[in-house]
Amino acid sequence: MKKAISILLALCMVLSLCSFALADEGKTVGIAMPTKSLERWNRDGEYLQKQFEEAGYEAKLVYSDNDIEQQNNDIANLIADGVDLLIISAIDGESLTQTLADAKDAGIPVIAYDRLIMNTDAISYYVSFDNYTVGVLQGQFVIDTLGLDLEDTSTTYNIEFTAGDPADNNAGFFFGGAMDTLKPYIDAGILNVPSGKTEFEQVATPAWSTDTALENMQNTLASYYSDGTVLDVALCSNDSTALGVAQAIGSDYAGDNQPLVTGQDGDIANLQNIVDGKQTMTVYKNVSDEAGATLALGKAILAGETPAEDLLDSLGAEASYDTESYDNGTGIIPSYLLVPYVITADNLQMLVDTGLYQWDADNHYLESTAETT
Ligand code: BGC
């Protein structure tokens, strides 16, 4: 009798677990990405949708054409559709407050994906890379490649900065990491900035636009380098801006050296520029891993858990749990931060090893294995 009861109990437990799992898997996730016009978000959207669908969820994916009003409307529609979880990469981190208040009222948890969303208490978690470290890696790359030494001021170099979109909370972290790393060398007179533009506001690039970065660099070259001044480094926060800067150097720079050009993301056009010597490095962020970490977090939230540091083991990628760095104006947002790394012409094979890129037919350039890029 006792045995029969325990078998019955075990059966009940299995059944209730199964129905719980099924209920979870039948849930719908709303994914809001900023734009298809910047390469990486095509990959992010594809990986997120695919990974959530493969885990048994319905996944509704929207892109908002870098238009703030459209993103508010798109998210409002996802809320009206009754999604169970929102994953949002904001176009403007400051502009979603009212819409996300509605999400909170509807009891929909929100994960800020890659970009922190400001001034709203509706955000449960933030998943991103260590954004400050991205900038540090770029700055350190310049120091290592030029062999800079604070004790040796005999050789000096010229550098110009191009930063990201002021509406994107990440942009300040990237610039800050690079500037903090290079500032001692600027202060020592080893690195000079002929344009004098060392503040974020002076070098920011709205919407991370390639065309704006191109134009700004053309202006800088015309104003400060047309007399033969040598440009040694163009520190660019990401690949979309690096693309414009490399183009400006190709067309408007009079010197015969190839300046170091930094970037971030591993966009296909930039990887080509790296092979062709027009860009020197990119800080690579594996967005398939970022999607995977978001899935692990989303699953836990939808299962009614309150994940913390313990989730790190289930993320499927190296990451840290940070409860200090990201205050969105309403308090600290617990963050899972993945690890970025440096890619140059010498280690492109590392990207192929992720399975997310492949060599082209001539074994010369890389192609993405994602369907949308
Ligand atoms: C992302 C970068 C990206 C930039 C422009 C940032 O928020 O973190 O990876 O290059 O947006 O798309």
Side-chain angles (χ1 to χ4, degrees), residues 7-20:
I7 290 176
L8 203 67
L9 272 175
L11 207 67
C12 285
M13 264 174 72
V14 169
L15 278 177
S16 68
L17 272 179
C18 284
S19 63
F20 189 59

Side-chain angles (χ1 to χ4, degrees), residues 49-261:
Q49 187 170 42
K50 208 164 156 190
Q51 292 185 25
F52 271 91
E53 283 177 355
E54 279 171 7
Y57 299 90
E58 192 184 331
K60 295 188 176 177
L61 170 63
V62 295
Y63 284 91
S64 308
D65 209 13
N66 256 349
D67 179 330
I68 297 168
E69 201 182 318
Q70 191 185 327
Q71 188 167 49
N72 272 289
N73 290 337
D74 287 340
I75 295 169
N77 287 337
L78 291 170
I79 296 170
D81 285 352
V83 297
D84 300 290
L85 172 69
L86 278 167
I87 298 165
I88 301 172
S89 189
I91 294 164
D92 179 338
E94 308 269 351
S95 73
L96 294 173
T97 309
Q98 185 48 50
T99 305
L100 294 187
D102 297 342
K104 193 175 180 191
D105 287 347
I108 304 170
V110 180
I111 299 175
Y113 180 84
D114 201 83
R115 299 172 170 177
L116 187 60
I117 307 172
M118 310 303 286
N119 304 329
T120 164
D121 63 359
I123 309 297
S124 314
Y125 292 94
Y126 177 44
V127 177
S128 193
F129 283 80
D130 185 334
N131 295 305
Y132 184 83
T133 295
V134 170
V136 171
L137 290 174
Q138 294 169 338
Q140 194 56 48
F141 180 85
V142 171
I143 293 168
D144 295 343
T145 309
L146 296 179
L148 303 186
D149 177 356
L150 281 174
E151 305 298 309
D152 176 6
T153 53
S154 60
T155 314
T156 62
Y157 298 92
N158 292 332
I159 182 169
E160 296 294 342
F161 292 86
T162 298
D165 185 351
D168 177 350
N169 188 60
N170 288 352
F173 281 90
F174 301 145
F175 181 78
M179 188 48 98
D180 289 351
T181 308
L182 294 175
K183 192 160 185 305
Y185 299 86
I186 296 175
D187 291 344
I190 297 171
L191 288 176
N192 296 314
V193 188
S195 72
K197 294 178 195 163
T198 53
E199 300 297 326
F200 174 78
E201 293 72 24
Q202 297 173 299
V203 293
T205 312
W208 295 95
S209 154
T210 298
D211 289 345
T212 306
L214 164 69
E215 229 171 88
N216 289 347
M217 194 61 188
Q218 284 175 326
N219 290 337
T220 298
L221 290 172
S223 305
Y224 305 98
Y225 292 85
S226 57
D227 61 357
T229 300
V230 172
L231 175 66
D232 297 293
V233 184
L235 190 303
C236 305
S237 283
N238 88 327
D239 278 354
S240 62
T241 54
L243 208 55
V245 166
Q247 199 180 324
I249 291 171
S251 58
D252 290 46
Y253 177 52
D256 47 21
N257 64 313
Q258 169 58 50
L260 296 185
V261 178

Side-chain angles (χ1 to χ4, degrees), residues 248-318:
I249 291 171
S251 58
D252 290 46
Y253 177 52
D256 47 21
N257 64 313
Q258 169 58 50
L260 296 185
V261 178
T262 68
Q264 164 187 201
D265 286 333
D267 288 354
I268 293 301
N270 298 76
L271 296 176
Q272 290 198 358
N273 272 357
I274 289 178
V275 170
D276 292 341
K278 297 177 188 166
Q279 181 171 328
T280 326
M281 63 89 86
T282 191
V283 177
Y284 181 63
K285 306 194 299 193
N286 185 325
V287 295
S288 175
D289 284 350
E290 192 174 7
T294 307
L295 171 62
L297 175 62
K299 260 184 179 171
I301 295 173
L302 288 171
E305 294 163 19
T306 311
E309 190 150 14
D310 53 343
L311 193 77
L312 286 177
D313 294 337
S314 331
L315 293 187
E318 196 187 340

